[in-house]
Amino acid sequence: MYQISNEKFGLFVTELRKKKNLTQKDLAEKLYVSDKTVSKWERGLSMPNVVLLIPIADILDVTVTELLRGEKIDTKKNIDTKEVEELVGGSLDMAVRNSIHQRRKNWILAYLLCFFISITEIIMLVVSGSSLAEMKGDILLVTGGMLLFGAWFCFFAKDILPTYYDANKINYVSQGIFRIHLVGLSFNNGNWIYICTTLKIWTLATVVLYPLAGIIIINCFNIALWDILNKIFLIMILGGMVVSIYIIGKKYE
């Protein structure tokens, strides 16, 4: 299979753009993107979305095939249809990989923000007079567990399942130390990305809101009330998470 080279593509775009006496800003305005985006293409740091390939090719007076190969093609030669299909397929795969990479970066930033907020909340509880001994049975345990769970999904979980999940009804996913098994729900690439997103939202929301609820109830009322309500909160958190996974999973199954 012909491999698309980011660097070769970038150098080719730069060469063609300069021949047209266009600046990066000029090309960006014609494509309705930022000049920083064009700069990333030309430096080989990223590839354009597949929907932009035809407009780019038209502006630079080349074919999409030439654009993806990063070189002019002798018009006297017959172009291999299979190679064209592989080039277009490769550009789609690259666009998907770029999208997944950007989403992962966003979730990592969200996780780090929630991590620091939850640590700040724990410190506030300690400063307010709640001892670690009082908190370790619920707040520390739940928050710590959700931080670990969220870290796995934000940093390590794969966003794409192997292709055999799409061909077979499989009701479990196993990745490293993580395993999820839900009876009656089949995992595939149609619903897995949504399930992962749901789990990330639940875990990150919990690490922020659960300690916050503890701060409000303990300081505004008393620790005894928190001992009662935190059990209800735990049931709501775990039950809501499972129900949400089933609803989302079935919707996109």
Side-chain angles (χ1 to χ4, degrees):
M1 179 176 176
Y2 190 93
Q3 295 293 322
I4 298 172
S5 168
N6 284 28
E7 291 76 16
K8 194 174 181 181
F9 174 89
L11 290 172
F12 191 53
V13 169
T14 303
E15 177 189 343
L16 295 172
R17 174 179 61 76
K18 289 180 177 179
K19 283 183 179 179
K20 291 283 184 180
N21 293 317
L22 295 172
T23 64
Q24 289 183 343
K25 187 175 181 180
D26 292 334
L27 180 58
E29 288 176 351
K30 290 177 181 291
L31 296 168
Y32 300 101
V33 298
S34 69
D35 53 346
K36 289 182 179 179
T37 298
V38 174
S39 175
K40 285 184 177 180
W41 297 343
E42 296 189 354
R43 287 181 289 149
L45 299 179
S46 67
M47 287 285 288
N49 189 293
V50 67
V51 299
L52 291 174
L53 293 177
I54 292 177
I56 294 172
D58 288 343
I59 293 169
L60 300 178
D61 286 332
V62 291
T63 65
V64 172
T65 303
E66 289 174 321
L67 191 62
L68 293 174
R69 287 190 59 164
E71 61 186 11
K72 288 278 190 176
I73 298 174
D74 188 345
T75 55
K76 295 180 181 179
K77 292 183 179 179
N78 291 324
I79 300 174
D80 188 350
T81 304
K82 184 179 179 182
E83 181 182 325
V84 175
E85 290 176 351
E86 288 180 345
L87 280 166
V88 175
S91 69
L92 285 168
D93 289 342
M94 193 165 291
V96 170
R97 288 197 298 272
N98 287 339
S99 176
I100 290 173
H101 178 68
Q102 184 59 49
R103 276 203 306 270
R104 185 175 293 276
K105 283 175 62 177
N106 292 340
W107 278 113
I108 288 174
L109 289 174
Y111 175 86
L112 293 175
L113 176 62
C114 291
F115 175 84
F116 286 115
I117 290 174
S118 65
I119 294 300
T120 301
E121 290 171 339
I122 297 295
I123 293 172
M124 287 174 65
L125 276 168
V126 174
V127 170
S128 68
S130 300
S131 69
L132 291 175
E134 291 175 324
M135 293 188 295
K136 69 180 181 182
D138 40 65
I139 296 178
L140 289 182
L141 182 62
V142 173
T143 304
M146 286 296 184
L147 281 172
L148 289 174
F149 198 53
W152 169 257
F153 272 98
C154 292
F155 287 84
F156 306 109
K158 295 178 181 177
D159 293 295
I160 299 177
L161 296 173
T163 54
Y164 59 78
Y165 274 88
D166 297 326
N168 303 280
K169 290 189 174 182
I170 303 174
N171 58 10
Y172 71 90
V173 174
S174 181
Q175 295 182 5
I177 61 173
F178 171 78
R179 182 183 178 90
I180 181 171
H181 184 186
L182 294 174
V183 177
L185 177 63
S186 299
F187 296 100
N188 53 58
N189 283 303
N191 61 14
W192 178 241
I193 186 68
Y194 297 103
I195 290 172
C196 283
T197 300
T198 301
L199 287 167
K200 290 169 186 174
I201 291 172
W202 271 99
T203 53
L204 296 187
T206 299
V207 301
V208 172
L209 298 179
Y210 188 72
L212 179 61
I215 291 173
I216 294 172
I217 294 171
I218 293 172
N219 286 281
C220 295
F221 300 95
N222 53 63
I223 191 77
L225 180 61
W226 171 250
D227 289 338
I228 296 171
L229 292 181
N230 89 83
K231 295 179 177 61
I232 298 174
F233 292 155
L234 285 175
I235 293 171
M236 291 172 61
I237 291 168
L238 297 176
M241 185 183 295
V242 173
V243 170
S244 297
I245 293 172
Y246 267 106
I247 292 173
I248 295 296
K250 283 295 184 182
K251 181 178 179 180
Y252 296 99
E253 189 176 34

